Every structure is written in structure tokens, then in C-alpha cells.
Amino acid sequence: MEIILLKMGEMVLKGLNRSRFESSLLSRLRAVLAPYGAFGVSSRQSAVYAVPEGECDMDGAFAAAGRVFGFTALCRALQCGKDMEEIQQKALSLPGLNSARSFKVEARRADKRFSFTSPQICEQVGGFLHETLRLPVDVHTPGEVVWVEIRESAAYVHTRPAEGAGGLPPGTAGKAVLLLSGGIDSPVAGWRMARRGLSLLPVHFHSYPYTSPEAKDKVLQLARILGSWCGPLTVRLVSFTAIQEAIRKHCPGDLVTVLTRRSMCRVANEIALRNGAGALVTGDCLGQVASQTMEALAVTAQASALPLLRPLIGMDKEEVARTARRVGTFETSILPYEDCCGLFTPRHPQTKPKLEAVLAAEKLYDYETLEAETLKNIEKNDV
Ligand code: ATP
Ligand code: MG
């Protein structure tokens, strides 16, 4: 029988919180596996076993399990009795061994009553595979590694594990509002924080009819992809049209972007407070554009009472793009629909905005009333 064997990450260190972490991890795993068949999910020490109970789509289940935050590694393992001959035969049937140029065996014996020691298991299984498959053994740079694990209830054989999603289980670190644009950066920022256990409340500002309905759909699609990692999300779509028009009309040109950002922060803060979220997450990256100089970031942060988390702050564009490809958002992010931030952008934005000047600019119009109005018309979308 084939099972999915997963290795828990750093949460095994979390002391008293461990059981909370573990139950949230297992319930997320159960939820992602459910569409692929019935699985029995259980844990022992730092290992989690997902055992099919009947007909299951193992490929689909394995791919989905690879997106559960909290596991560092996972593999498809063959289960067999704790009997050397049976173990040898199972190892022989491992997919991937036939095409390998060389191999080695690694053994782990949790059940010390098993009559072979780990080195003896390596010798017995390695010798058998070498003779049967005529496959060279290479202990330093093996083409494939055959793992033999003797556990309490059964023996397991598998080849190299795949990398897990890493991080901490969903929701174990609290809740934050994600300012989600249609760009490359903010979905990655959200993914990185979700991976640290934050549950996300995505908020998107649109300027319909200046921005198109497709731009909205694009953001919902990005949230759907994020949800495939962290669970279903509810996106809040906020109309920013009136605020942007007011800013364009009343704000000195070079401060338009900073005022726009600050207004977004204030509205997002209010949404966070109403929904029990403790922080905001943005995709800001130091020096990437005029609104992301240190001075501009500081003036923007000043508008937020809640901490502003910027997980991409020190990442290069290429690193962010690479992560976006891993997350699966890259192709959607580069679709050409415009973001509301692209509207009314000044030709020469202020790269070193002064707080006093910004506060003075905000006094020229009653943005507070407009923001309160905007908060009344939030469109919620479950993805
Ligand atoms: P991104 O790729 O995430 O759009 P960016 O490099 O284009 O980022 P900006 O457009 O300056 O940078 O936006 C900085 C951050 O502000 C974004 O990462 C996002 O968190 C937030 N933001 C920008 N536009 C919006 C929007 N329309 N709705 C919600 N958040 C936004
Ligand atoms: Mg953008």
C-alpha cells in the first residue's frame, strides 16, 4: 500500500503550543486531501501519515499536500510488514529506481525490536537492489536514495522526499489585512506571511470605471491561487474612485502617490480593526519605485496605527519573481490590466516627501468623510 508521509517543520519545537499547532496542521491537511479521496490522517512524533482508505487520487493528493504550510518535506512511501524479504521486494518496486544512474540506501530504525540494525538494513537492501537491478552503489553522490524506515506499526520505503511548503500552520500567528493589488509583489508578500502562520484578509482597491472589471477578476484569481496554499479567502473589494478623484483635484501633483497610499492605509486599518486583524501586509520593496524610498515608506507607515508588515522589503525583483512562479501567481500578475495606482500618477513624484507637507496637503480636503463613505460599500467575495 502507498501512503503519503510528511515531516512537520519547526513547530515541533513550540512547547506548550505544540498541540494547537499540530491540530491546525492536521485539519488543514485533511481539508486539502478530501477532494482526492478518503484518507486517515494521524501523527507520530514529527511525522504525519496520510493513509488512503479506499480508492484515492494519489497524484492530486500529493500535489495538494505539498501546499500545506507547516511541513518541511513529504514523500509517497510504500508500506509493508517488518520483514526483510518484503522490504526488499517493496524497495525493488519503487518508481524512479529504474532510471537512476546509481543509488544508496539510508535506514532509520525507530522500532529497536526489529532484528536488523540500521547499517545491516542498508547492507541487506542495498545488496539486494544492486544484484537485482545491476545498479551501482554511490554513497557520496547517489542518483537516487532509497529510504527504509522501520516504525512502530509498519515498515516504509521511499525515495528522496520532495520539499514541503515550509513555515507554520495556517492561522496560528493571528490575522492581518493584505493589501492586494494586481501586481507581482503583493501576492508574494501575502504568501510569505501566510507561510508564517498569518491568516489573510485581502483588501483590493479599485477605481471602476477607470479600472476595468477584468482588473478585479485578476485580483480574485490571484486570491484564489493564494487560497490554494492557505485555505479559502474572502476578498474585500473597495471602491477608491471618489477618493482618487478628490486627491487628483486637491492634492499637489508630486504628493498624489503618497496621499493615495496613506488613504489606502487608513481604510485598510479600519477594515482590520472591524475584523480583528492586528497588522497590514504590503508588497513594498525598498527602492523599487518612487513610492518605495525610505522617506516615502515612512510617511506611508505614519498613516497606519497598526504595524505595517513588508516581507519583501529587502528582496530583489528577481527573487520576488522566482517566488511568484513557485506560488503560481506570476502568470496572472503579468496580465496587462491596470491597477488604480497607475491612474493620475504624477510625472515627477516626490521621492523624499516630508511629513509636514503631506499633512498640510491632507488638510486641503475632507478625506476622512470620503473614507468613511467608502467603508460603507465594501464588496465581499469568497474565493
Ligand atoms: P505590486 O506588485 O504588489 O502591485 P508594486 O511594486 O506595483 O507592488 P505599488 O504599486 O507601489 O508597488 O504598491 C505598493 C503596495 O501597495 C502593493 O504591494 C500593495 O500591497 C499595495 N497596493 C497598491 N495598489 C493597491 C490596490 N489597488 N489595492 C490594494 N493594495 C494596493
Ligand atoms: Mg502595483
Side-chain angles (χ1 to χ4, degrees):
M1 181 177 54
E2 189 182 32
I3 72 158
I4 301 175
L5 191 57
L6 305 101
K7 191 172 179 311
M8 287 186 232
E10 61 191 276
M11 47 174 284
V12 295
L13 305 172
K14 301 278 178 212
L16 291 177
N17 279 329
R18 174 165 173 165
S19 68
R20 185 170 63 89
F21 277 69
E22 201 171 307
S23 76
S24 135
L25 182 65
L26 296 191
S27 72
R28 176 72 191 137
L29 181 63
R30 287 191 186 99
V32 307
L33 293 179
Y36 303 100
F39 285 85
V41 172
S42 60
S43 66
R44 190 163 299 149
Q45 280 141 13
S46 63
V48 172
Y49 300 76
V51 181
E53 294 166 347
E55 205 48 39
C56 288
D57 169 5
M58 291 298 280
D59 290 342
F62 189 71
R67 293 184 166 217
V68 178
F69 295 129
F71 292 113
T72 49
L74 68 164
C75 62
R76 292 167 71 156
L78 301 175
Q79 182 178 318
C80 60
K82 291 190 271 186
D83 167 83
M84 186 48 74
E85 218 169 292
E86 214 181 310
I87 292 168
Q88 288 170 331
Q89 288 302 329
K90 277 289 173 204
L92 189 59
S93 71
L94 281 171
L97 258 194
N98 282 319
S99 52
R101 59 188 155 74
S102 63
F103 81 109
K104 78 165 172 180
V105 178
E106 295 268 9
R108 196 183 294 145
R109 188 178 58 139
D111 175 8
K112 301 293 181 206
R113 291 165 309 175
F114 188 61
S115 51
F116 294 85
T117 64
S118 297
Q120 287 169 338
I121 299 171
C122 292
E123 210 177 286
Q124 291 285 322
V125 177
F128 174 77
L129 292 176
H130 173 68
E131 268 168 34
T132 317
L133 295 172
R134 302 258 152 246
L135 197 60
V137 173
D138 180 349
V139 292
H140 300 296
T141 52
E144 190 54 274
V145 180
V146 174
W147 280 93
V148 179
E149 305 194 37
I150 313 293
R151 306 228 176 201
E152 291 303 324
S153 51
Y156 297 93
V157 297
H158 59 84
T159 45
R160 273 200 189 96
E163 193 186 344
L168 299 170
T172 52
K175 198 196 278 186
V177 161
L178 167 65
L179 281 92
L180 184 62
S181 72
I184 294 173
D185 302 329
S186 47
V188 173
W191 182 82
R192 288 184 69 118
M193 294 319 297
R195 192 179 184 220
R196 292 309 299 166
L198 270 190
S199 76
L200 300 177
L201 220 129
V203 170
H204 175 68
F205 297 94
H206 65 85
S207 280
Y208 185 78
Y210 297 106
T211 54
S212 61
E214 285 85 357
K216 249 200 248 180
D217 292 342
K218 173 181 170 180
V219 170
L220 294 179
Q221 179 55 21
L222 290 170
R224 224 166 269 133
I225 298 168
L226 277 180
S228 73
W229 293 87
C230 55
L233 296 170
T234 301
V235 182
R236 281 158 176 82
L237 298 168
V238 181
S239 171
F240 213 52
T241 318
I243 294 175
Q244 284 202 286
E245 283 173 340
I247 292 176
R248 176 177 58 169
K249 213 156 155 195
H250 302 282
C251 170
D254 64 341
L255 294 178
V256 163
T257 313
V258 154
L259 256 72
T260 306
R261 283 277 179 284
R262 283 172 56 92
S263 182
M264 281 184 182
C265 272
R266 285 190 297 265
V267 174
N269 256 264
E270 192 51 41
I271 296 174
L273 291 178
R274 290 177 187 185
N275 292 281
L280 307 185
V281 178
T282 73
D284 290 311
C285 179
L286 186 62
Q288 203 185 73
V289 287
S291 58
Q292 297 174 12
T293 60
M294 208 182 66
E295 292 82 355
L297 291 173
V299 172
T300 303
Q302 196 272 343
S304 178
L306 293 173
L308 211 66
L309 308 179
R310 293 160 159 152
L312 311 189
I313 197 71
M315 282 174 83
D316 281 354
K317 208 161 181 62
E318 195 37 55
E319 291 177 81
V320 177
R322 210 182 312 132
T323 313
R325 286 200 180 85
R326 173 173 180 203
V327 176
T329 48
F330 188 81
E331 297 302 325
T332 305
S333 285
I334 59 174
L335 292 174
Y337 310 113
E338 73 293 355
D339 182 53
C340 70
C341 288
L343 297 175
F344 321 138
T345 43
R347 202 163 307 155
H348 300 292
Q350 181 56 259
T351 54
K352 292 182 194 287
K354 293 270 179 301
L355 184 59
E356 309 80 71
V358 169
L359 293 175
E362 282 175 349
K363 288 228 172 66
L364 300 175
Y365 186 80
D366 180 9
Y367 293 106
E368 209 179 309
T369 304
L370 216 47
E371 286 162 8
E373 218 36 58
T374 294
L375 278 160
K376 287 185 194 148
N377 292 307
I378 293 177
E379 184 189 333
K380 280 197 212 169
N381 254 286
D382 293 321
V383 300

